[in-house]
Amino acid sequence: MDKLLIKGGARLAGEIAISGAKNAALPLLCAALLTDEAVTFTNVPQLKDIATLLRLLADMGVQVSREGDTVTLQAREISNPVASYELVKTMRAAILVLCPLVARCGEARVSLPGGCAIGARPVDQHIKGLQAMGAEVNVDHGYVLAKSPRLKGARIFTDMVTVTGTENLMMAAALADGVTVIENAAREPEVVDLANCLVAMGAQISGAGTDVIRVQGVARLHGCTHRIMPDRIETGTYLCAAAVTGGEVRLNNTSSAYLDAVIDKLMDAGCEVQAERHAIHLKAPARLKAVSLRTSPYPAFPTDMQAQFMALNSVAEGSAMIRETIFENRFMHAVELQRLGADIKIDGNSALVTGVEKLQGAAVMATDLRASASLVIAGLVAEGETLIDRIYHLDRGYEKLDEKLVALGASVSRTS
């Protein structure tokens, strides 16, 4: 199993390109199940989760072709509308095949998902929405079994803001009979990216990016070519990495439009940030100032950037309070940061972080995807060597992270 060895102390400087968004690519690839025509995606990141999903789609009978960052999918016939536990256990996003399969095939058998152990992320909202659209849904021996000869439009109010739930139900509604209204919908840019692709395929969708999405179902969808949006979490992660090392970086092929809350906090910490049309430039101060934050659904501060800012605050001047409101078990990285010398006190869903002058390199273990990123950031500024175990989490969400950091001047290498 690979580990990541980081020799801290290098100031990050230079420029790199940001990859396509994992959290946008996964539902978009699933959308190809809605048509028998070819759908081509560009700017697809090379990640373990993407490879797993492509294997899953191929197992269903989808023709998969990949060349570089371009993937073409054609679900001419879906011979096996099943997502087995063996392919789903490492990746929660596999639940996104549920609604497209029911909408297209009239049935689906999808394993309850796995993924990062950051707290309860139930699929009950997906099931509730499908049932409102007339599907018969049961959970049996760890699988969601759903059937419906033709889904019917419905008014769906989700009990909680759920990104994958919104995406799944939007895909179901695209081929349903009549109008579907999704209330309390997620507003994330990835939801908008999916809606834009579905519209290019012939769907009739309005309101994406607001908390009410209206979908007029159509009889069939057709193929299209769609470019996946840049990864806003990868962008934010590299901005934090540059900030803690007192660096100056330019990130290309990205946009500040999706990162207002993150950039505001970086500027509060003392960074100079300049946004260009397809790039972001950051220059860090000699020492950062601690910044308090509270995670909330988009457009507020993203939970996927909480761990990175905990690492940032660990070496900033002053104290900051971090409140996590999305997941109940997302402070597991705090213990590992403490091994590096961070001063962090946890009380329920709050963490008080007091910056220290220096972190010390040590052996640490990644517990989930974004926790892994926080340990990388801390390792970059720690004295000596930091060895991060279980970096398969990183490979699920960051394309060529070690290579990109080396390009910015970091001392990072993989070891077995």
Side-chain angles (χ1 to χ4, degrees), residues 215-393:
V215 185
Q216 171 68 61
V218 297
R220 67 183 302 273
L221 296 176
H222 54 73
C224 75
T225 297
H226 180 82
R227 179 175 175 83
I228 292 169
M229 64 174 281
D231 196 316
R232 62 192 174 100
I233 304 303
E234 183 192 20
T235 302
T237 299
Y238 284 113
L239 291 175
C240 284
V244 298
T245 64
E248 182 172 1
V249 298
R250 174 188 168 91
L251 306 181
N252 298 318
N253 299 335
T254 189
S255 172
S256 64
Y258 321 118
L259 281 168
D260 286 345
V262 171
I263 289 175
D264 283 349
K265 290 298 180 182
L266 285 168
M267 293 176 71
D268 289 346
C271 296
E272 297 177 20
V273 184
Q274 293 181 330
E276 302 173 24
R277 186 174 181 184
H278 298 297
I280 301 174
H281 177 270
L282 176 140
K283 184 177 181 180
R287 190 175 184 194
L288 300 165
K289 299 175 184 176
V291 288
S292 295
L293 59 94
R294 179 181 185 273
T295 66
S296 288
Y298 188 86
F301 192 91
T303 181
D304 277 355
M305 284 300 304
Q306 176 259 109
Q308 296 89 316
F309 268 78
M310 185 176 287
L312 181 152
N313 280 326
S314 294
V315 292
E317 182 181 0
S319 297
M321 183 67 74
I322 296 177
R323 292 182 172 86
E324 173 60 53
T325 72
I326 308 298
F327 296 118
E328 74 279 6
N329 195 25
R330 208 168 197 183
F331 283 153
M332 291 186 290
H333 48 278
V335 176
E336 300 302 309
L337 289 172
Q338 288 169 342
R339 284 181 52 78
L340 300 173
D343 183 353
I344 303 170
K345 295 178 176 64
I346 304 295
D347 182 13
N349 68 342
S350 298
L352 177 64
V353 186
T354 301
V356 298
E357 288 288 338
K358 293 287 184 181
L359 294 177
Q360 304 292 328
V364 291
M365 182 176 66
T367 53
D368 62 72
L369 172 55
R370 306 308 172 185
S372 307
S374 75
L375 298 180
V376 170
I377 291 170
L380 290 171
V381 74
E383 287 185 337
E385 295 185 345
T386 298
L387 185 65
I388 305 175
D389 199 358
R390 294 174 63 181
I391 62 166
Y392 58 82
H393 287 296

Side-chain angles (χ1 to χ4, degrees), residues 87-157:
L87 283 173
V88 171
K89 64 183 178 181
T90 63
M91 184 181 63
R92 291 199 57 84
I95 195 66
L96 287 162
V97 303
L98 175 64
C99 287
L101 286 176
V102 177
R104 173 85 184 282
C105 305
E107 63 176 333
R109 183 171 182 264
V110 179
S111 172
L112 290 171
C116 291
I118 58 174
R121 293 190 283 184
V123 299
D124 58 329
Q125 301 304 306
H126 307 238
I127 293 172
K128 172 187 169 184
L130 271 179
Q131 289 173 329
M133 299 172 77
E136 177 186 341
V137 186
N138 296 292
V139 178
D140 184 47
H141 295 287
Y143 279 80
V144 180
L145 311 175
K147 291 184 178 181
S148 175
R150 178 79 192 274
L151 294 171
K152 307 291 184 182
R155 175 183 175 270
I156 301 169
F157 182 88

